[in-house]
Amino acid sequence: MSARTGRVERTTNETKVVVEIDLDGSGTTQVSTGIGFYDHMLTSFGKHGLFDLTVQVEGDLHIDAHHTVEDTAIALGQAFARAAGDKTGTRRFGDALIPMDECLVQAAVDLSGRPYLVHVEPEGAPPTIGPDYATTLTRHVLESFVYHAAIALHVRVHAGRDWHHVTEAQYKAVARALRAAVEIDPRVHGVPSTKGVL
């Protein structure tokens, strides 16, 4: 099997982003975005997806975290799409149900080639987690990633009080669902679709 890796360099007037991902890794990560909580989330994403992940970002954090978080998610989605290729031999679908203390999050993914996000979080989130990660950014990360990875993703928070847990469990659940979806199934020959293409 050829290497399933993707590398994206994205430079704008707001950010400079480099992302590398290996879908067949061991969860080794090297992440630096300048946003501590986001680094923690992306590290968790790589670890629990068993993706080798490198993320290096220089962003306009003197304004706020938005551009850095968004552009990183875009590049991560693009790198994932490149690594997944035509999805030959994959399971295509994946799901995960992740508990984190009082929190429970479910994620389901289809490597469909059709971007679609359904995202359900409880009300009452605090404005930020840590000094600079707005809680509204999680949905935006998922939207940006899904669009550029060309996948369908459902994420539902069933329970949770602590928004560190609510957010981290979402990243973990998405990672585990993606890990299952990109796994090579020896019983699958070719692309797992009656269309013959994803």
Side-chain angles (χ1 to χ4, degrees):
M1 184 180 66
S2 60
R4 296 192 299 166
T5 61
R7 175 184 169 91
V8 169
E9 297 186 33
R10 175 183 168 86
T11 301
T12 71
N13 291 333
E14 299 164 344
T15 61
K16 181 178 180 181
V17 180
V18 178
V19 172
E20 297 178 357
I21 191 168
D22 182 347
L23 301 184
D24 301 306
S26 60
T28 300
T29 61
Q30 186 176 19
V31 178
S32 178
T33 66
I35 304 161
F37 186 74
Y38 196 34
D39 288 357
H40 180 40
M41 294 301 98
L42 293 175
T43 298
S44 185
F45 175 84
K47 180 72 172 179
H48 293 282
L50 289 181
F51 307 135
D52 288 346
L53 181 64
T54 300
V55 179
Q56 298 294 324
V57 187
E58 297 173 19
D60 56 359
L61 296 179
H62 62 285
I63 296 176
D64 69 6
H66 186 99
H67 298 146
T68 297
V69 170
E70 176 181 57
D71 288 0
T72 301
I74 289 170
L76 181 59
Q78 291 171 336
F80 180 90
R82 290 179 186 181
D86 66 2
K87 297 105 171 182
T88 294
T90 64
R91 297 189 186 279
R92 176 178 169 179
F93 300 100
D95 62 88
L97 187 63
I98 300 297
M100 190 169 181
D101 297 347
E102 87 297 346
C103 183
L104 184 65
V105 174
Q106 186 173 28
V109 66
D110 176 8
L111 307 180
S112 61
R114 300 184 304 277
Y116 204 95
L117 175 68
V118 176
H119 181 248
V120 180
E121 276 184 330
E123 299 293 329
T128 62
I129 303 170
D132 47 15
Y133 183 93
T135 49
T136 55
L137 284 173
T138 301
R139 178 173 294 176
H140 193 47
V141 166
L142 297 176
E143 288 170 339
S144 300
F145 177 79
V146 160
Y147 181 81
H148 291 277
I151 62 173
L153 176 66
H154 288 239
V155 178
R156 184 175 296 270
V157 179
H158 292 290
R161 289 187 314 272
D162 183 318
W163 276 81
H164 187 127
H165 294 166
V166 167
T167 305
E168 185 171 350
Q170 289 182 67
Y171 279 86
K172 287 178 177 177
V174 170
R176 287 300 294 254
L178 288 170
R179 171 178 160 183
V182 300
E183 186 177 32
I184 298 299
D185 185 338
R187 297 175 62 199
V188 174
H189 300 284
V191 176
S193 170
T194 55
K195 296 184 180 75
V197 64
L198 288 171

